[in-house]
Amino acid sequence: MQDEAGAPLIAAHDTPTPPHTTPEPSTGTPATGGTDPVASRRRRMLFLLMGATAVVAYAADQVTKIWAQNTLTTGEPVNVVGDHIRLNLIRNAGAAFSIGNGATWVMTLVACGVLVFILRTARRIGSSAWAVALGLLLGGSLGNLTDRMVRSPGPGRGQVVDFIDYFGFFIGNVADIAIVGAAAFIALLAMRGVGVDGARPHQGRHEAAAPDPQGGGTAHV
């Protein structure tokens, strides 16, 4: 029997059951903004590759400079490939081609700026090729910067040890080889359109999905 006219027939303790909802499919990315463990692991491996490349380039530069100082005599070049490639020990206060001999500290600041650029760029690294290129650039830059900081006449003004004479045109070292190799590698990657993060352009590729005109899913155009 209904207690009052117009009173609901559902008891006060009987609450309606909410409609069943289907959970949305997961996109694979945590809602809390967590990073993909596979991507993180790959990023760590690329950092290790860059670091290992830098260490090898730096060690090769420093070892060969020590060898050159202990073996060669300034002003007494040694022919390696005729008189085209020679071992000719000098101390260079400037950059390549003896540019900036009177402003060694400027070369030191430039080297520091290059290091900052490398470290900032490495934060976006996603390509093994870029890891090697940046590693060569880092190792070579550190090699010459070490000379600037620890050799005479003093910190920031130190002279770089050069000993590889190319055709009598200019004299360099292993660090210079690493830097030039890195520049060539980076130029090649840029020509191929490979970004620091490993992304490639889609020019000439049709990867966008469009509705299939005959129905049933999508068609690649």
Side-chain angles (χ1 to χ4, degrees):
M1 178 176 179
Q2 186 172 341
D3 295 337
E4 300 180 30
L9 297 176
I10 302 176
H13 62 274
D14 293 334
T15 57
T17 303
H20 177 71
T21 58
T22 303
E24 296 182 358
S26 173
T27 60
T29 304
T32 57
T35 58
D36 184 357
V38 176
S40 298
R41 184 163 57 250
R42 172 172 170 75
R43 182 66 57 85
R44 286 195 297 269
M45 295 300 296
L46 291 174
F47 278 134
L48 288 175
L49 176 59
M50 185 186 72
T53 304
V55 168
V56 170
Y58 178 81
D61 174 67
Q62 294 299 302
V63 168
T64 53
K65 284 175 178 174
I66 294 173
W67 172 85
Q69 288 187 298
N70 294 335
T71 306
L72 303 176
T73 301
T74 303
E76 298 181 6
V78 177
N79 291 342
V80 176
V81 182
D83 58 355
H84 302 297
I85 305 295
R86 302 187 298 176
L87 300 178
N88 188 9
L89 180 64
I90 66 169
R91 274 79 173 180
N92 186 2
F97 310 105
S98 297
I99 298 173
N101 279 334
T104 306
W105 62 273
V106 175
M107 301 297 106
T108 302
L109 293 178
V110 170
C112 292
V114 171
L115 293 181
V116 172
F117 164 78
I118 295 171
L119 295 177
R120 289 179 62 88
T121 303
R123 296 166 57 186
R124 300 185 290 113
I125 194 169
S127 162
S128 57
W130 270 97
V132 172
L134 291 177
L136 288 173
L137 185 59
L138 178 61
S141 300
L142 283 174
N144 284 338
L145 182 60
T146 298
D147 287 13
R148 303 284 185 199
M149 300 305 297
V150 304
R151 301 191 186 279
S152 61
R157 298 177 292 113
Q159 298 176 341
V160 175
V161 175
D162 289 335
F163 61 94
I164 307 176
D165 190 334
Y166 300 92
F167 306 98
F169 188 47
F170 70 95
I171 304 175
N173 51 43
V174 173
D176 296 331
I177 295 175
I179 292 172
V180 172
F185 203 0
I186 290 173
L188 177 61
L189 292 172
M191 290 175 59
R192 297 183 59 187
V194 180
V196 177
D197 58 358
R200 295 171 180 266
H202 299 303
Q203 297 177 357
R205 301 179 186 178
H206 303 284
E207 297 184 355
D212 188 345
Q214 298 182 353
T218 61
H220 292 285
V221 297

